[in-house]
Amino acid sequence: MPNSDPAQPKHTAVELIKKFQQLFTNLNHKQIAERLVKLVIAKHTIQRAALLIARDNHIYVEAIANRTGTHTAINAIATSLNRINNLPSAFIHDVFESGQALALSRSAMSGLIGKTIPVDTRACFLHPICENQKTIAVFYMESQDDLASLQHAVQDLDTVWTFSSLLVRQVIDMWHHEEQAERFRVAEQALWASETYLNAILNYSPTLISVKDLDGNIVLASEHYNQMANVGEDGIVGKNVFDVYPKDVAQSMWEIDLATKKTQQTYEVELDLMHKDGTQHTYLLVKFPLRDKQQKAFGVCTIGTDISERKLAETALREQQSRLNYMAFHDSLTSLPNRSLFYDRIYHGLARARRANSRVALMLLDIDRFKNINDSLGHDAGDILLKAIATRLNEGVRDMDTVARLGGDEFVVVLEGIHDIDDVIFVANKLLSTLSRPIEVSGHSISTTVSIGVSLFPEDGDDTDELLKNADIAMYKAKEAGKNNCQFYTKGMNATAVNYLLLENDLRRAIEQQQLTLYYQPQVDLKTGEMTGVEALVRWQHPERGIVSPAHFIPLAEETGLIVPIGEWVLREACRQQKLWLDAGKYIGKIAVNLSPRQFRQKNFPGKVEAILAEIGLAAKYLELEITESCAMEHAGETINQLNQLNQMGMYLAIDDFGTGYSSLAYLQRFPVQKLKIDRSFIHDIHDDANYAAIAKSIIGLAHNMQMRVIAEGVENEGQAEWLRTHGCDQAQGFFYAKPMTAKQLEGHFRNGRFYFDGTVVRLENHLREQQLKVGA
């Protein structure tokens, strides 16, 4: 019979409540989730069970229980459903949204079997747990039995479902509590870190950092303030700027603070503040308002950076820039304006003259016989003289006039606002008189003079270059007239004589501006037709005159002494090119370089050659040096000494223009020379002039008897070449084989490492073949 005692069910419910209280007492949220799925998996019909809880708008898999045979594994994972790939998430979401239980047979899960649902699963059941008509959790269950068996097991778990809503709520609340506790812990940690960072910044930052309230009281300050001269041991917190700084500094800072609060903008200001050690420092103060959440200002923050070193660096940089600008436009020796500044000033001077319809006088001054002073007293004495002349020139003109040094011993004076030619004459005579007074140089009283050439704007030129050119002509005319005088440019001046002097000026610039270049003329073995070497020949590429013949400028260079720097440049450039050819696998034989008498007579000339070879990295055996016969016989004893030193270095030596001088055979046999060079004057008419032919034969015989080789220059036709070949001459060079050519042109004749002449080699080879045929016959 059924139990009719009404108290019995209540007792049963109470017992159940107590039982569940005992099961879930003192458990955290993870343990509660584990205990719930453990109660579900206790049904043997169920092989896998999961508890899913909705919190914070996400679904989390709180715990999963798996049965494998007699073993049951239960894990609290608290992981988002999106990260779990072995649960039917679509069905789970449907149950959370509908709040209705969902029973699935194997056929209903056919698309998920073997993917998210195990292969041996035959039924699934999803049971919702609701609170206030909202699904807060879902129990997911799988079974290897049929769906009816699984549904029966679910019904037996009514008690679990009843208490689950209470327990799930507890789990959610516990999660929220834990998250809130974690947020509080993180916030507390962040607050501690912020305080730590702030303290570190305030204590160790080498900057002034402070915060003031709206009344100007300092509520926070960095330790760096303790270095300030007016800050005591108690610091500045609780004080205002008038308590800390001198009145003028405090007033300035207070006004900026007021402006910052009023406009709520950032301000920057530089202030000089005194340190306790007595040093003054410049600080860049940045002031900006501090705002609350409503963007209302509640204080002013100041950050001051010590920029003293930067200011010093900026000042040094400005001074350096000023010095560089000065150096760029002034002559380093005399401090006068240089060529660049001169061009700038005369450009503006001519513009002013055009506007005012006035004249400008350009006076070009050149020191007479300045080279003699340099050669006799040295360059230091020459520099002293140049500086003294610069000073006197400045003193002899008006402040509005320009005195500049164009270079070397050449000065220029620009006189503006000229209305009468007599004014120019007066200034010129004054300068001639002033500059002729003795000057004390290195213990010597030196009287020097200058030659002045004058050109006038607009009569003698409309621009600077034309005025300079005409003043240059007039100045050389003054030198022709005996120096120490002034000449005005006139269109009728005879420029023919002047051109030679102008050429000297241009030649000096040519060396400085690298207008010189080398050409190379091949030298040929008359027996084999092969190239045995090349002679380096200097050419001058004038920017206006084009290629200037060596016949025009070499004698000028000899006369003026410019041949020495030209010769040194030729020697260095020839060695450099020879090294480039050797490194590229192009063997051209020896490279011959002519030496001028002045160059050869230099003190320790062999040492200079050795230094150039070492600088280039070229072995001496690839270099041949040529001196003229007349140079060799002049001071023969000294020549022998110089030649011996060069020969010991491994150099090949030759005597050029042999036959044109007066050689002493006694000296010639003592010269360590390997080659004689027959002058071209004997080769030109070697067929028609018996005397020239006899001289050539004698030179060839003499050379061979002295164990020397012979080379003829100026060979221009086959007849000359055949005569020389027949009479035993070893080598030849001339237009018949090749004209002098640039390095690039020479390289264009190389084939497989061998030099080919333009068709000439064929004729030589044919000649050799004919000779062989005659012998064979």
Side-chain angles (χ1 to χ4, degrees):
M1 286 184 64
N3 188 354
S4 58
D5 187 355
Q8 187 64 34
K10 291 182 181 179
H11 177 75
T12 302
V14 171
E15 290 295 326
L16 287 172
I17 291 172
K18 289 182 177 179
K19 180 179 179 181
F20 271 90
Q21 285 178 335
Q22 292 173 356
L23 283 173
F24 294 94
T25 300
N26 298 326
L27 298 182
N28 61 30
H29 54 86
K30 293 182 180 179
Q31 292 169 332
I32 291 172
E34 288 179 346
R35 186 65 58 86
L36 287 173
V37 295
K38 183 177 180 181
L39 292 174
V40 174
I41 201 72
K43 291 294 183 181
H44 291 287
T45 305
I46 300 172
Q47 270 69 46
R48 186 163 70 134
L51 172 61
L52 300 102
I53 294 178
R55 52 186 171 86
D56 301 327
N57 298 320
H58 290 283
I59 298 174
Y60 292 89
V61 182
E62 295 293 339
I64 292 181
N66 287 282
R67 186 199 307 281
T68 305
T70 59
H71 178 70
T72 299
I74 301 171
N75 295 300
I77 58 176
T79 302
S80 175
L81 178 60
N82 295 334
R83 297 184 179 181
I84 303 296
N85 58 10
N86 62 349
L87 291 175
S89 58
F91 290 130
I92 293 170
H93 279 284
D94 289 344
V95 174
F96 267 100
E97 290 177 5
S98 66
Q100 301 295 321
L102 180 62
L104 300 171
S105 63
R106 186 175 180 85
S107 60
M109 304 181 296
S110 59
L112 302 175
I113 298 296
K115 297 178 181 177
T116 59
I117 297 176
V119 177
D120 54 0
T121 300
R122 296 180 60 197
C124 288
F125 197 94
L126 291 88
H127 185 81
I129 304 298
C130 297
E131 179 185 78
N132 297 327
Q133 297 182 347
K134 181 179 180 181
T135 306
I136 61 172
V138 170
F139 280 93
Y140 171 75
M141 294 157 281
E142 292 175 355
S143 177
Q144 295 175 2
D145 296 339
D146 57 26
L147 183 57
S149 300
L150 178 56
Q151 288 176 318
H152 182 73
V154 170
Q155 290 174 359
D156 288 345
L157 291 169
D158 278 344
T159 307
V160 175
W161 310 142
T162 301
F163 282 94
S164 288
S165 62
L166 296 173
L167 295 170
V168 166
R169 170 49 57 191
Q170 187 176 349
V171 168
I172 293 172
D173 290 343
M174 293 174 76
W175 263 114
H176 286 161
H177 177 74
E178 185 174 291
E179 290 172 351
Q180 192 173 22
E182 178 62 20
R183 283 195 295 272
F184 179 78
R185 186 192 66 79
V186 170
E188 189 177 37
Q189 179 69 24
L191 179 60
W192 175 86
S194 297
E195 291 178 352
T196 301
Y197 298 154
L198 179 59
N199 288 331
I201 292 170
L202 293 178
N203 290 332
Y204 301 107
S205 175
T207 54
L208 301 175
I209 303 173
S210 67
V211 174
K212 303 184 189 75
D213 61 21
L214 296 179
D215 296 324
N217 298 312
I218 301 170
V219 298
L220 180 147
S222 63
E223 286 292 318
H224 195 69
Y225 274 98
N226 291 332
Q227 295 188 27
M228 300 299 107
N230 298 303
V231 176
E233 294 296 327
D234 55 346
I236 64 172
V237 175
K239 301 177 182 178
N240 59 50
V241 290
F242 291 98
D243 298 327
V244 178
Y245 298 106
K247 186 176 180 180
D248 55 339
V249 175
Q251 185 64 36
S252 176
M253 296 180 71
W254 174 246
E255 289 173 357
I256 299 170
D257 287 343
L258 289 178
T260 303
K261 289 184 286 186
K262 183 177 179 180
T263 64
Q264 296 203 15
Q265 293 179 350
T266 299
Y267 284 86
E268 289 187 3
V269 64
E270 290 184 11
L271 278 181
D272 291 329
L273 300 176
M274 190 69 69
H275 280 206
K276 289 178 179 177
D277 60 5
T279 59
Q280 184 167 284
H281 293 246
T282 301
Y283 283 85
L284 175 62
L285 300 180
V286 180
K287 293 178 174 289
F288 54 91
L290 298 174
R291 299 182 181 92
D292 57 21
K293 291 182 179 180
Q294 287 74 39
Q295 295 301 304
K296 184 178 179 182
F298 65 86
V300 174
C301 181
T302 300
I303 298 178
T305 305
D306 191 338
I307 59 171
S308 303
E309 291 187 5
R310 191 187 82 188
K311 297 289 285 186
L312 289 173
E314 288 174 353
T315 301
L317 183 61
R318 281 194 298 271
E319 291 174 355
Q320 177 70 8
Q321 190 62 50
S322 177
R323 285 194 295 271
L324 289 175
N325 289 338
Y326 185 86
M327 292 169 62
F329 295 105
H330 289 81
D331 175 53
S332 59
L333 176 65
T334 64
S335 297
L336 291 177
N338 61 12
R339 182 179 291 270
S340 297
L341 186 54
F342 157 70
Y343 267 90
D344 179 72
R345 288 192 179 177
I346 195 172
Y347 172 82
H348 291 290
L350 294 179
R352 286 189 291 270
R354 291 187 186 99
R355 290 193 298 268
N357 196 27
S358 64
R359 302 160 89 182
V360 174
L362 189 152
M363 307 175 69
L364 194 64
L365 298 86
D366 190 87
I367 303 173
D368 298 328
R369 292 176 288 275
F370 180 71
K371 184 177 180 298
N372 292 340
I373 296 172
N374 266 343
D375 290 346
S376 58
L377 299 179
H379 288 281
D380 290 342
D383 289 346
I384 294 172
L385 179 65
L386 290 172
K387 287 192 283 188
I389 288 175
T391 301
R392 293 185 179 185
L393 284 174
N394 260 332
E395 293 171 350
V397 299
R398 301 167 299 177
D399 291 339
M400 63 181 291
D401 299 325
T402 295
V403 179
R405 182 188 179 201
L406 297 185
D409 59 338
E410 199 171 60
F411 296 85
V412 65
V413 176
V414 180
L415 306 177
E416 293 190 45
I418 300 298
H419 297 283
D420 194 331
I421 197 72
D422 290 338
D423 295 336
V424 182
I425 296 173
F426 173 79
V427 173
N429 288 330
K430 179 181 177 182
L431 292 179
L432 287 171
S433 174
T434 301
L435 297 177
S436 64
R437 295 201 312 266
I439 298 173
E440 191 72 22
V441 177
S442 301
H444 301 276
S445 181
I446 297 176
S447 296
T448 186
T449 60
V450 296
S451 298
I452 303 176
V454 182
S455 61
L456 297 173
F457 169 85
E459 296 95 322
D460 301 332
D462 193 51
D463 59 35
T464 304
D465 289 333
E466 190 175 3
L467 290 170
L468 266 178
K469 173 187 170 186
N470 292 334
D472 209 23
I473 293 174
M475 185 265 290
Y476 278 109
K477 194 69 176 175
K479 285 186 177 292
E480 275 189 321
K483 304 180 177 64
N484 192 26
N485 74 96
C486 172
Q487 294 286 330
F488 282 77
Y489 174 77
T490 60
K491 291 182 173 59
M493 274 186 174
N494 183 3
T496 304
V498 178
N499 275 339
Y500 190 76
L501 297 174
L502 291 176
L503 194 64
E504 177 188 347
N505 228 22
D506 288 349
L507 185 56
R508 292 182 187 277
R509 296 191 186 101
I511 300 170
E512 298 171 0
Q513 299 173 7
Q514 300 181 342
Q515 296 173 6
L516 302 179
T517 185
L518 284 188
Y519 277 57
Y520 304 89
Q521 187 171 34
Q523 298 175 333
V524 186
D525 187 307
L526 285 169
K527 293 180 181 178
T528 65
E530 296 289 339
M531 183 171 71
T532 60
V534 296
E535 181 178 3
L537 302 168
V538 66
R539 297 290 185 267
W540 178 11
Q541 182 66 53
H542 194 283
E544 296 174 1
R545 303 170 188 246
I547 292 290
V548 181
S549 169
H552 290 158
F553 73 87
I554 291 298
L556 173 63
E558 286 278 9
E559 179 184 338
T560 59
L562 292 174
I563 195 66
V564 173
I566 290 175
E568 183 174 338
W569 179 86
V570 170
L571 181 59
R572 178 178 280 101
E573 180 64 17
C575 291
R576 185 192 68 81
Q577 185 59 62
Q578 175 74 299
K579 184 68 165 59
L580 289 175
W581 279 328
L582 289 170
D583 292 344
K586 293 180 174 62
Y587 181 71
I588 59 133
K590 299 182 185 300
I591 191 163
V593 177
N594 289 291
L595 301 178
S596 74
R598 280 201 183 201
Q599 185 182 10
F600 182 70
R601 296 296 175 206
Q602 287 182 97
K603 185 178 181 181
N604 192 29
F605 174 71
K608 293 183 178 181
V609 176
E610 186 176 24
I612 290 174
L613 290 173
E615 173 191 330
I616 303 297
L618 180 69
K621 65 180 181 180
Y622 295 110
L623 178 63
E624 178 179 313
L625 297 180
E626 298 181 0
I627 61 170
T628 61
E629 182 181 13
S630 57
C631 174
M633 292 304 160
E634 183 183 28
H635 308 297
E638 182 184 340
T639 299
I640 293 172
N641 180 47
Q642 294 267 63
L643 292 177
N644 278 330
Q645 292 182 58
L646 293 169
N647 186 56
Q648 288 168 7
M649 289 163 57
M651 241 161 291
Y652 209 74
L653 303 174
I655 293 183
D656 193 14
D657 300 338
F658 195 79
T660 60
Y662 301 93
S663 295
S664 164
L665 294 182
Y667 279 118
L668 185 61
Q669 66 178 352
R670 294 174 59 191
F671 291 158
V673 174
Q674 291 82 28
K675 184 189 288 187
L676 296 182
K677 198 168 189 177
I678 304 175
D679 186 72
R680 65 178 63 248
S681 61
F682 303 122
I683 305 301
H684 187 267
D685 297 320
I686 202 166
H687 283 113
D688 305 325
D689 193 310
N691 290 328
Y692 285 164
I695 291 173
K697 288 179 187 177
S698 299
I699 293 173
I700 294 170
L702 174 66
H704 288 166
N705 288 333
M706 299 182 71
Q707 308 303 313
M708 299 180 192
R709 297 180 69 77
V710 188
I711 181 170
E713 62 179 349
V715 179
E716 298 179 351
N717 56 59
E718 174 63 42
Q720 293 169 345
E722 180 59 31
W723 190 96
L724 291 166
R725 190 184 299 109
T726 301
H727 290 84
C729 186
D730 302 300
Q731 299 171 8
Q733 76 180 78
F735 283 8
F736 175 62
Y737 302 104
K739 293 183 178 181
M741 61 188 80
T742 65
K744 189 173 183 180
Q745 290 170 336
L746 188 74
E747 292 166 4
H749 287 268
F750 273 89
R751 303 288 185 277
N752 299 322
R754 178 185 177 190
F755 182 87
Y756 282 83
F757 296 91
D758 290 335
T760 307
V761 172
V762 176
R763 290 201 297 274
L764 288 174
E765 289 176 346
N766 286 342
H767 170 80
L768 294 172
R769 192 177 295 110
E770 290 172 5
Q771 293 295 101
Q772 291 169 355
L773 288 173
K774 289 178 183 178
V775 173

